[in-house]
Amino acid sequence: METVVSGIRPTGNLHLGNYFGAVKNFLKMQHDANCYFFVADYHSLTTHPHPDNLNASVKQVLAENLACGLNPEICTLYVQSDLPEVAELYLLLNMLAYTGELERSVTFKEKIRKDPNNVNAGLLTYPVLMAADILIHKAAKVPVGKDQEQHLEFTRNFAVRFNHLYGVEFFPQPVAYNFGVQLVKVPGLDGSGKMGKSEAEGNAVFLIDEHDTIKKKVMRAVTDSGPTEPNQPKPEAITNIFTLMKLVSSNDTVQHFEDAYNNCTIRYGDMKKQLAEDMNIFIAPIREKIKEISSDEKYISKVVREGAEKAHESARKTVQEVRNIIGMRSF
Ligand code: TYM
């Protein structure tokens, strides 16, 4: 059976970008593959979260993923730092990662531009840690959004380099996966870029957002004064609203507004009202489930305890084999 790995940083609540970029695909794969999903708490340390906040965020993200439908009976859900083997594999892979290539990472360049006072080594070697997460279970497929594509390229490079250096066919070459189609990039509500938790306030719609909040955010989404000629190409901000609508609304609804755009009768106020309603219909059952699960600490701790045990088995085996290949053998 094929192995699948994916993860999410505990740096805020899950939003529609996380859901449609990664979680949804993971849910579709969990029945047919050997699936691991983890909360990437080591990764979140690059921004030095307060210890109390980190713990609460890990719990919340676990609850939110469970509420989306991650089934701990059939997949393995765990917290990254419960597997110290990940840290060891990270150290070993660091020897194969060149600073020059890491400095060319798009995410790294973006992070140093946004926060030039915190360019730490963890940030630079972030792709190596991510490769360790994936290779520790020898995964073949990694359901992620478009923003993670380059990280998967790094993972393949480190895997190939390891195999080549030691003359083995040990690590697979994992791919960022979306059922044979383009990886997803869910736009935000601010007119450009992607939906993200660290973007401007109001850019992201979270799975815990109440109906009122969703309405407020969507009604404030950037639009323009509307098309002036039939069948004009759409500016980015308008394309984004349509992209979001395609995720949560019916085909008929999308077609209705496409037609209205093309014959210049569109009223963005109406379109946004409809979008907010459809987002709420999509989010409401997940939101209720999040409330239910996050108040059940016993359940969450049982899930991660069992998850860590299962994940350990595979992690321990990989690291033992890697040590053996490298020549770290017992006397
Ligand atoms: P993170 O926590 O930023 O996001 C979690 C997942 O959500 C996806 N995503 C999006 N997809 C489409 N459109 C968007 N607007 C959008 N925003 C977020 C991300 O692509 C991701 O799949 N480095 C990872 C976490 C990680 C990981 C891993 C993932 C660490 N190790 C190993 C897979 C395998 C991250 O920061 O994701």
Side-chain angles (χ1 to χ4, degrees), residues 5-11 14-23 36-40 43 80 107 111 126 129-134 142-149 151-152 155 183-188 193-197 203:
V5 169
S6 200
I8 183 160
R9 281 171 304 144
T11 48
L14 251 69
H15 51 68
L16 289 173
N18 300 131
Y19 185 87
F20 287 105
V23 179
Y36 295 89
F37 195 95
F38 66 95
V39 181
H43 276 104
Q80 185 186 31
T107 314
K111 298 260 173 189
Y126 187 106
L129 181 54
M130 203 164 143
D133 295 325
I134 296 166
V142 185
V144 281
K146 179 98 183 136
D147 59 324
Q148 300 298 319
E149 200 167 28
H151 286 150
L152 265 294
T155 301
L183 299 178
V184 174
K185 179 182 170 190
V186 177
K194 64 162 192 161
M195 186 172 286
K197 39 204 163 198
N203 166 57

Short mmCIF file of all heavy atoms in Angstrom, two decimals, residues 5-11 14-23 36-40 43 80 107 111 126 129-134 142-149 151-152 155 183-188 193-197 203, ligand 1:
data_model
loop_
_atom_site.label_atom_id
_atom_site.label_comp_id
_atom_site.label_asym_id
_atom_site.label_seq_id
_atom_site.Cartn_x
_atom_site.Cartn_y
_atom_site.Cartn_z
N VAL A 5 1.92 11.28 3.38
CA VAL A 5 2.20 12.10 4.57
C VAL A 5 1.77 13.53 4.30
O VAL A 5 1.97 14.05 3.19
CB VAL A 5 3.72 12.12 4.91
CG1 VAL A 5 4.04 13.17 5.95
CG2 VAL A 5 4.18 10.77 5.42
N SER A 6 1.15 14.16 5.29
CA SER A 6 0.95 15.61 5.19
C SER A 6 0.95 16.22 6.58
O SER A 6 0.80 15.50 7.57
CB SER A 6 -0.36 15.94 4.46
OG SER A 6 -0.29 17.26 3.98
N GLY A 7 1.12 17.53 6.63
CA GLY A 7 1.20 18.19 7.93
C GLY A 7 0.75 19.63 7.85
O GLY A 7 0.58 20.19 6.76
N ILE A 8 0.59 20.19 9.03
CA ILE A 8 0.15 21.59 9.10
C ILE A 8 0.79 22.24 10.33
O ILE A 8 0.95 21.59 11.37
CB ILE A 8 -1.39 21.66 9.17
CG1 ILE A 8 -1.87 23.08 9.17
CG2 ILE A 8 -1.96 20.90 10.36
CD1 ILE A 8 -3.32 23.21 8.75
N ARG A 9 1.18 23.51 10.18
CA ARG A 9 1.81 24.20 11.31
C ARG A 9 0.73 24.68 12.29
O ARG A 9 -0.31 25.17 11.84
CB ARG A 9 2.58 25.44 10.84
CG ARG A 9 3.94 25.12 10.26
CD ARG A 9 4.53 26.36 9.63
NE ARG A 9 3.60 26.89 8.63
CZ ARG A 9 3.41 28.18 8.40
NH1 ARG A 9 4.07 29.09 9.09
NH2 ARG A 9 2.57 28.57 7.47
N PRO A 10 0.99 24.60 13.60
CA PRO A 10 0.00 25.10 14.56
C PRO A 10 0.18 26.59 14.82
O PRO A 10 0.51 27.01 15.92
CB PRO A 10 0.30 24.27 15.81
CG PRO A 10 1.79 24.02 15.73
CD PRO A 10 2.14 23.95 14.28
N THR A 11 0.00 27.39 13.79
CA THR A 11 0.23 28.84 13.96
C THR A 11 -1.06 29.63 13.83
O THR A 11 -1.03 30.83 13.60
CB THR A 11 1.25 29.34 12.92
OG1 THR A 11 0.87 28.84 11.64
CG2 THR A 11 2.65 28.89 13.23
N LEU A 14 -7.41 26.66 11.26
CA LEU A 14 -7.50 26.20 9.87
C LEU A 14 -8.41 27.13 9.08
O LEU A 14 -9.47 27.53 9.56
CB LEU A 14 -8.11 24.79 9.83
CG LEU A 14 -7.16 23.66 9.46
CD1 LEU A 14 -6.17 23.46 10.59
CD2 LEU A 14 -7.93 22.37 9.22
N HIS A 15 -7.99 27.45 7.85
CA HIS A 15 -8.84 28.27 6.99
C HIS A 15 -9.19 27.50 5.73
O HIS A 15 -8.73 26.36 5.53
CB HIS A 15 -8.16 29.62 6.68
CG HIS A 15 -6.76 29.49 6.17
ND1 HIS A 15 -6.46 28.95 4.94
CD2 HIS A 15 -5.57 29.82 6.74
CE1 HIS A 15 -5.15 28.97 4.76
NE2 HIS A 15 -4.58 29.48 5.84
N LEU A 16 -9.99 28.13 4.88
CA LEU A 16 -10.45 27.44 3.67
C LEU A 16 -9.28 27.05 2.76
O LEU A 16 -9.36 26.08 2.02
CB LEU A 16 -11.45 28.31 2.90
CG LEU A 16 -12.82 28.47 3.57
CD1 LEU A 16 -13.67 29.49 2.81
CD2 LEU A 16 -13.57 27.13 3.63
N GLY A 17 -8.20 27.82 2.79
CA GLY A 17 -7.01 27.49 2.00
C GLY A 17 -6.42 26.16 2.44
O GLY A 17 -6.11 25.30 1.63
N ASN A 18 -6.28 25.98 3.76
CA ASN A 18 -5.76 24.72 4.28
C ASN A 18 -6.69 23.57 3.90
O ASN A 18 -6.24 22.50 3.49
CB ASN A 18 -5.68 24.74 5.83
CG ASN A 18 -4.78 25.82 6.37
OD1 ASN A 18 -5.15 26.57 7.26
ND2 ASN A 18 -3.57 25.92 5.83
N TYR A 19 -7.99 23.83 4.01
CA TYR A 19 -8.94 22.76 3.73
C TYR A 19 -8.87 22.32 2.27
O TYR A 19 -8.65 21.15 1.97
CB TYR A 19 -10.38 23.18 4.09
CG TYR A 19 -11.33 22.02 3.91
CD1 TYR A 19 -11.54 21.10 4.93
CD2 TYR A 19 -11.96 21.79 2.68
CE1 TYR A 19 -12.35 19.99 4.75
CE2 TYR A 19 -12.77 20.68 2.48
CZ TYR A 19 -12.96 19.79 3.53
OH TYR A 19 -13.75 18.69 3.33
N PHE A 20 -9.04 23.28 1.37
CA PHE A 20 -9.11 22.91 -0.05
C PHE A 20 -7.73 22.62 -0.66
O PHE A 20 -7.62 21.94 -1.67
CB PHE A 20 -9.86 23.97 -0.86
CG PHE A 20 -11.34 23.94 -0.59
CD1 PHE A 20 -11.93 24.91 0.20
CD2 PHE A 20 -12.13 22.93 -1.10
CE1 PHE A 20 -13.30 24.88 0.47
CE2 PHE A 20 -13.49 22.88 -0.83
CZ PHE A 20 -14.08 23.86 -0.04
N GLY A 21 -6.67 23.17 -0.03
CA GLY A 21 -5.33 22.91 -0.55
C GLY A 21 -4.79 21.56 -0.12
O GLY A 21 -4.11 20.89 -0.89
N ALA A 22 -5.11 21.15 1.10
CA ALA A 22 -4.45 19.95 1.62
C ALA A 22 -5.41 18.96 2.29
O ALA A 22 -5.46 17.80 1.91
CB ALA A 22 -3.37 20.37 2.62
N VAL A 23 -6.18 19.44 3.26
CA VAL A 23 -6.96 18.50 4.10
C VAL A 23 -7.95 17.68 3.27
O VAL A 23 -8.07 16.47 3.45
CB VAL A 23 -7.69 19.28 5.23
CG1 VAL A 23 -8.52 18.33 6.09
CG2 VAL A 23 -6.68 20.02 6.10
N TYR A 36 -0.38 9.26 7.06
CA TYR A 36 0.12 9.93 8.27
C TYR A 36 -0.18 11.42 8.16
O TYR A 36 0.12 12.03 7.14
CB TYR A 36 1.63 9.78 8.39
CG TYR A 36 2.11 8.36 8.59
CD1 TYR A 36 2.39 7.55 7.50
CD2 TYR A 36 2.25 7.84 9.88
CE1 TYR A 36 2.82 6.24 7.69
CE2 TYR A 36 2.68 6.54 10.06
CZ TYR A 36 2.96 5.74 8.97
OH TYR A 36 3.38 4.46 9.15
N PHE A 37 -0.76 11.98 9.21
CA PHE A 37 -0.98 13.42 9.24
C PHE A 37 -0.49 13.94 10.59
O PHE A 37 -0.79 13.37 11.63
CB PHE A 37 -2.48 13.73 9.07
CG PHE A 37 -2.74 15.17 8.73
CD1 PHE A 37 -2.90 15.55 7.39
CD2 PHE A 37 -2.82 16.15 9.72
CE1 PHE A 37 -3.12 16.88 7.06
CE2 PHE A 37 -3.04 17.47 9.39
CZ PHE A 37 -3.20 17.84 8.06
N PHE A 38 0.28 15.03 10.55
CA PHE A 38 0.84 15.49 11.82
C PHE A 38 0.75 17.01 11.96
O PHE A 38 0.61 17.74 10.98
CB PHE A 38 2.31 15.04 11.93
CG PHE A 38 3.19 15.68 10.92
CD1 PHE A 38 3.90 16.83 11.23
CD2 PHE A 38 3.28 15.17 9.64
CE1 PHE A 38 4.69 17.45 10.29
CE2 PHE A 38 4.07 15.78 8.68
CZ PHE A 38 4.77 16.93 9.01
N VAL A 39 0.83 17.45 13.23
CA VAL A 39 0.86 18.88 13.52
C VAL A 39 2.33 19.27 13.66
O VAL A 39 3.05 18.75 14.53
CB VAL A 39 0.07 19.20 14.81
CG1 VAL A 39 0.10 20.69 15.09
CG2 VAL A 39 -1.37 18.71 14.67
N ALA A 40 2.78 20.17 12.79
CA ALA A 40 4.21 20.48 12.65
C ALA A 40 4.65 21.52 13.68
O ALA A 40 4.94 22.67 13.36
CB ALA A 40 4.48 20.96 11.23
N HIS A 43 8.23 22.97 13.28
CA HIS A 43 8.29 24.00 12.26
C HIS A 43 7.83 25.36 12.77
O HIS A 43 8.33 26.40 12.35
CB HIS A 43 7.42 23.62 11.05
CG HIS A 43 8.10 22.72 10.08
ND1 HIS A 43 7.83 21.38 9.99
CD2 HIS A 43 9.03 22.98 9.14
CE1 HIS A 43 8.58 20.85 9.04
NE2 HIS A 43 9.32 21.79 8.51
N GLN A 80 4.28 16.25 15.63
CA GLN A 80 5.64 16.08 15.09
C GLN A 80 6.69 15.85 16.20
O GLN A 80 7.52 14.96 16.11
CB GLN A 80 5.99 17.32 14.28
CG GLN A 80 7.29 17.31 13.53
CD GLN A 80 7.56 18.67 12.90
OE1 GLN A 80 7.16 19.69 13.43
NE2 GLN A 80 8.21 18.66 11.76
N THR A 107 10.17 30.44 -0.34
CA THR A 107 9.58 30.71 0.98
C THR A 107 10.60 31.41 1.88
O THR A 107 10.27 32.36 2.59
CB THR A 107 9.13 29.39 1.65
OG1 THR A 107 8.43 28.62 0.68
CG2 THR A 107 8.27 29.63 2.84
N LYS A 111 10.23 35.03 3.62
CA LYS A 111 10.27 35.18 5.08
C LYS A 111 11.30 36.23 5.48
O LYS A 111 11.05 37.03 6.38
CB LYS A 111 10.61 33.85 5.76
CG LYS A 111 9.61 32.77 5.51
CD LYS A 111 8.65 32.60 6.66
CE LYS A 111 7.59 31.64 6.26
NZ LYS A 111 6.48 31.33 6.90
N TYR A 126 14.40 24.91 6.96
CA TYR A 126 12.99 24.50 7.01
C TYR A 126 12.68 23.38 6.00
O TYR A 126 12.05 22.37 6.33
CB TYR A 126 12.12 25.73 6.76
CG TYR A 126 10.63 25.57 6.92
CD1 TYR A 126 9.98 26.11 8.04
CD2 TYR A 126 9.85 24.91 5.97
CE1 TYR A 126 8.60 25.99 8.19
CE2 TYR A 126 8.49 24.79 6.12
CZ TYR A 126 7.86 25.33 7.22
OH TYR A 126 6.51 25.20 7.38
N LEU A 129 13.83 19.96 7.31
CA LEU A 129 12.94 19.38 8.32
C LEU A 129 11.70 18.80 7.65
O LEU A 129 11.22 17.73 8.00
CB LEU A 129 12.56 20.46 9.35
CG LEU A 129 11.66 20.03 10.50
CD1 LEU A 129 12.20 18.83 11.25
CD2 LEU A 129 11.45 21.20 11.49
N MET A 130 11.22 19.50 6.65
CA MET A 130 10.04 19.02 5.94
C MET A 130 10.37 17.70 5.19
O MET A 130 9.56 16.78 5.18
CB MET A 130 9.57 20.10 4.97
CG MET A 130 8.13 19.94 4.63
SD MET A 130 7.45 21.42 3.90
CE MET A 130 6.39 20.62 2.70
N ALA A 131 11.54 17.65 4.62
CA ALA A 131 11.95 16.40 3.95
C ALA A 131 12.02 15.26 4.97
O ALA A 131 11.61 14.13 4.68
CB ALA A 131 13.31 16.60 3.28
N ALA A 132 12.52 15.57 6.17
CA ALA A 132 12.59 14.53 7.21
C ALA A 132 11.19 14.02 7.56
O ALA A 132 10.97 12.82 7.71
CB ALA A 132 13.29 15.09 8.45
N ASP A 133 10.22 14.95 7.66
CA ASP A 133 8.83 14.55 7.96
C ASP A 133 8.30 13.55 6.94
O ASP A 133 7.55 12.63 7.28
CB ASP A 133 7.88 15.76 7.86
CG ASP A 133 8.16 16.81 8.90
OD1 ASP A 133 8.54 16.44 10.02
OD2 ASP A 133 7.98 18.01 8.57
N ILE A 134 8.66 13.78 5.70
CA ILE A 134 8.10 12.99 4.60
C ILE A 134 8.86 11.68 4.44
O ILE A 134 8.29 10.60 4.32
CB ILE A 134 8.15 13.82 3.29
CG1 ILE A 134 7.25 15.06 3.44
CG2 ILE A 134 7.75 12.98 2.09
CD1 ILE A 134 7.47 16.13 2.38
N VAL A 142 2.28 13.41 -1.25
CA VAL A 142 2.12 14.42 -0.21
C VAL A 142 1.04 15.42 -0.63
O VAL A 142 1.30 16.29 -1.47
CB VAL A 142 3.48 15.15 0.04
CG1 VAL A 142 3.38 16.11 1.20
CG2 VAL A 142 4.59 14.15 0.27
N PRO A 143 -0.17 15.27 -0.11
CA PRO A 143 -1.22 16.22 -0.48
C PRO A 143 -0.99 17.58 0.17
O PRO A 143 -1.09 17.71 1.39
CB PRO A 143 -2.51 15.56 0.04
CG PRO A 143 -2.07 14.57 1.06
CD PRO A 143 -0.66 14.22 0.80
N VAL A 144 -0.66 18.56 -0.64
CA VAL A 144 -0.37 19.92 -0.16
C VAL A 144 -0.87 20.93 -1.18
O VAL A 144 -1.17 20.58 -2.32
CB VAL A 144 1.16 20.17 0.02
CG1 VAL A 144 1.69 19.56 1.30
CG2 VAL A 144 1.94 19.70 -1.19
N GLY A 145 -0.92 22.19 -0.77
CA GLY A 145 -1.27 23.27 -1.68
C GLY A 145 -0.08 23.67 -2.53
O GLY A 145 1.07 23.23 -2.32
N LYS A 146 -0.35 24.53 -3.50
CA LYS A 146 0.65 24.99 -4.47
C LYS A 146 1.89 25.59 -3.80
O LYS A 146 3.01 25.45 -4.29
CB LYS A 146 -0.04 26.02 -5.37
CG LYS A 146 0.80 26.65 -6.42
CD LYS A 146 0.60 25.97 -7.76
CE LYS A 146 1.51 26.56 -8.80
NZ LYS A 146 2.15 25.54 -9.62
N ASP A 147 1.69 26.29 -2.67
CA ASP A 147 2.80 26.98 -2.01
C ASP A 147 3.88 26.02 -1.51
O ASP A 147 4.98 26.45 -1.17
CB ASP A 147 2.28 27.84 -0.85
CG ASP A 147 1.52 27.02 0.18
OD1 ASP A 147 0.83 26.05 -0.19
OD2 ASP A 147 1.63 27.33 1.38
N GLN A 148 3.56 24.71 -1.45
CA GLN A 148 4.54 23.75 -0.92
C GLN A 148 5.28 23.01 -2.03
O GLN A 148 6.08 22.11 -1.76
CB GLN A 148 3.84 22.74 0.00
CG GLN A 148 3.16 23.36 1.20
CD GLN A 148 4.13 24.06 2.13
OE1 GLN A 148 5.23 23.57 2.38
NE2 GLN A 148 3.75 25.24 2.61
N GLU A 149 4.99 23.35 -3.27
CA GLU A 149 5.54 22.60 -4.40
C GLU A 149 7.08 22.56 -4.37
O GLU A 149 7.69 21.51 -4.55
CB GLU A 149 5.06 23.26 -5.70
CG GLU A 149 5.14 22.35 -6.89
CD GLU A 149 4.37 22.93 -8.08
OE1 GLU A 149 4.23 24.18 -8.17
OE2 GLU A 149 3.90 22.13 -8.90
N HIS A 151 9.03 22.90 -1.87
CA HIS A 151 9.52 22.09 -0.76
C HIS A 151 9.59 20.61 -1.13
O HIS A 151 10.48 19.88 -0.68
CB HIS A 151 8.63 22.28 0.48
CG HIS A 151 8.84 23.60 1.15
ND1 HIS A 151 7.85 24.26 1.83
CD2 HIS A 151 9.93 24.39 1.24
CE1 HIS A 151 8.33 25.40 2.31
NE2 HIS A 151 9.59 25.50 1.96
N LEU A 152 8.67 20.18 -1.96
CA LEU A 152 8.69 18.77 -2.40
C LEU A 152 9.85 18.52 -3.37
O LEU A 152 10.42 17.43 -3.40
CB LEU A 152 7.34 18.41 -3.02
CG LEU A 152 6.33 17.73 -2.09
CD1 LEU A 152 6.82 16.36 -1.65
CD2 LEU A 152 6.09 18.57 -0.83
N THR A 155 12.73 17.96 -1.21
CA THR A 155 12.66 16.61 -0.62
C THR A 155 13.20 15.58 -1.61
O THR A 155 14.00 14.71 -1.24
CB THR A 155 11.19 16.27 -0.23
OG1 THR A 155 10.74 17.25 0.70
CG2 THR A 155 11.09 14.89 0.40
N LEU A 183 -1.90 21.66 -8.49
CA LEU A 183 -2.04 21.89 -7.06
C LEU A 183 -2.91 23.14 -6.85
O LEU A 183 -2.93 24.04 -7.69
CB LEU A 183 -0.67 22.10 -6.42
CG LEU A 183 0.30 20.92 -6.52
CD1 LEU A 183 1.63 21.28 -5.88
CD2 LEU A 183 -0.28 19.67 -5.88
N VAL A 184 -3.59 23.17 -5.71
CA VAL A 184 -4.57 24.24 -5.47
C VAL A 184 -3.91 25.46 -4.81
O VAL A 184 -3.04 25.32 -3.95
CB VAL A 184 -5.68 23.70 -4.54
CG1 VAL A 184 -6.66 24.80 -4.13
CG2 VAL A 184 -6.42 22.54 -5.20
N LYS A 185 -4.34 26.64 -5.27
CA LYS A 185 -3.96 27.87 -4.55
C LYS A 185 -5.25 28.64 -4.27
O LYS A 185 -5.84 29.22 -5.20
CB LYS A 185 -3.01 28.70 -5.40
CG LYS A 185 -2.59 29.99 -4.72
CD LYS A 185 -1.69 30.79 -5.62
CE LYS A 185 -1.47 32.18 -5.08
NZ LYS A 185 -0.80 33.05 -6.06
N VAL A 186 -5.69 28.61 -3.04
CA VAL A 186 -6.93 29.31 -2.69
C VAL A 186 -6.60 30.78 -2.44
O VAL A 186 -5.74 31.08 -1.60
CB VAL A 186 -7.58 28.67 -1.43
CG1 VAL A 186 -8.82 29.43 -1.01
CG2 VAL A 186 -7.90 27.21 -1.68
N PRO A 187 -7.26 31.69 -3.15
CA PRO A 187 -6.94 33.11 -2.96
C PRO A 187 -7.54 33.66 -1.67
O PRO A 187 -8.48 33.09 -1.12
CB PRO A 187 -7.59 33.78 -4.17
CG PRO A 187 -8.69 32.87 -4.58
CD PRO A 187 -8.29 31.48 -4.18
N GLY A 188 -6.99 34.77 -1.20
CA GLY A 188 -7.56 35.43 -0.03
C GLY A 188 -8.62 36.44 -0.46
O GLY A 188 -8.93 36.55 -1.65
N GLY A 193 -2.89 37.50 -4.14
CA GLY A 193 -2.18 36.49 -3.35
C GLY A 193 -3.04 35.35 -2.89
O GLY A 193 -4.06 35.03 -3.50
N LYS A 194 -2.62 34.75 -1.79
CA LYS A 194 -3.32 33.54 -1.33
C LYS A 194 -3.91 33.74 0.05
O LYS A 194 -3.49 34.61 0.81
CB LYS A 194 -2.36 32.36 -1.33
CG LYS A 194 -1.22 32.50 -0.36
CD LYS A 194 -0.54 31.18 -0.06
CE LYS A 194 0.39 31.34 1.11
NZ LYS A 194 0.81 30.19 1.80
N MET A 195 -4.86 32.88 0.35
CA MET A 195 -5.43 32.90 1.69
C MET A 195 -4.37 32.37 2.65
O MET A 195 -3.76 31.34 2.37
CB MET A 195 -6.68 32.02 1.72
CG MET A 195 -7.42 32.10 3.03
SD MET A 195 -9.02 31.25 3.01
CE MET A 195 -10.03 32.33 2.03
N GLY A 196 -4.14 33.10 3.74
CA GLY A 196 -3.10 32.65 4.67
C GLY A 196 -3.34 33.24 6.05
O GLY A 196 -3.90 34.33 6.16
N LYS A 197 -2.89 32.50 7.07
CA LYS A 197 -3.15 32.97 8.42
C LYS A 197 -2.27 34.16 8.80
O LYS A 197 -2.61 34.94 9.66
CB LYS A 197 -3.02 31.85 9.44
CG LYS A 197 -1.91 30.88 9.18
CD LYS A 197 -2.17 29.52 9.83
CE LYS A 197 -1.26 28.48 9.21
NZ LYS A 197 -1.68 27.12 9.42
N ASN A 203 -8.30 38.55 5.47
CA ASN A 203 -7.94 37.88 4.22
C ASN A 203 -8.39 36.41 4.21
O ASN A 203 -8.72 35.87 3.17
CB ASN A 203 -6.42 37.96 4.02
CG ASN A 203 -5.92 37.03 2.94
OD1 ASN A 203 -6.37 37.09 1.81
ND2 ASN A 203 -5.03 36.13 3.29
P1 TYM B 1 0.92 25.35 6.36
O1 TYM B 1 0.71 25.09 7.82
O2 TYM B 1 1.27 26.72 5.94
O3 TYM B 1 -0.36 24.91 5.56
C1 TYM B 1 -0.93 23.61 5.68
C2 TYM B 1 -1.40 23.12 4.33
O4 TYM B 1 -2.37 24.03 3.77
C3 TYM B 1 -1.97 24.41 2.47
N1 TYM B 1 -2.38 25.80 2.21
C4 TYM B 1 -2.99 26.21 1.08
N2 TYM B 1 -3.36 25.52 -0.01
C5 TYM B 1 -3.97 26.21 -1.01
N3 TYM B 1 -4.25 27.55 -0.91
C6 TYM B 1 -3.90 28.26 0.17
N4 TYM B 1 -4.19 29.55 0.26
C7 TYM B 1 -3.23 27.60 1.24
N5 TYM B 1 -2.73 27.98 2.45
C8 TYM B 1 -2.21 26.87 3.02
C9 TYM B 1 -0.46 24.28 2.43
O5 TYM B 1 -0.01 24.11 1.11
C10 TYM B 1 -0.27 23.04 3.29
O6 TYM B 1 -0.42 21.88 2.51
N6 TYM B 1 5.45 23.42 5.56
C11 TYM B 1 4.04 23.09 5.73
C12 TYM B 1 3.77 22.12 6.85
C13 TYM B 1 4.57 20.88 6.75
C14 TYM B 1 4.36 19.78 5.85
C15 TYM B 1 5.39 18.86 6.13
C16 TYM B 1 3.39 19.53 4.88
C17 TYM B 1 5.68 20.59 7.49
N7 TYM B 1 6.15 19.39 7.13
C18 TYM B 1 5.47 17.64 5.44
C19 TYM B 1 3.50 18.31 4.18
C20 TYM B 1 4.52 17.39 4.47
C21 TYM B 1 3.30 24.38 5.99
O7 TYM B 1 3.85 25.35 6.44
O8 TYM B 1 1.96 24.30 5.77
#
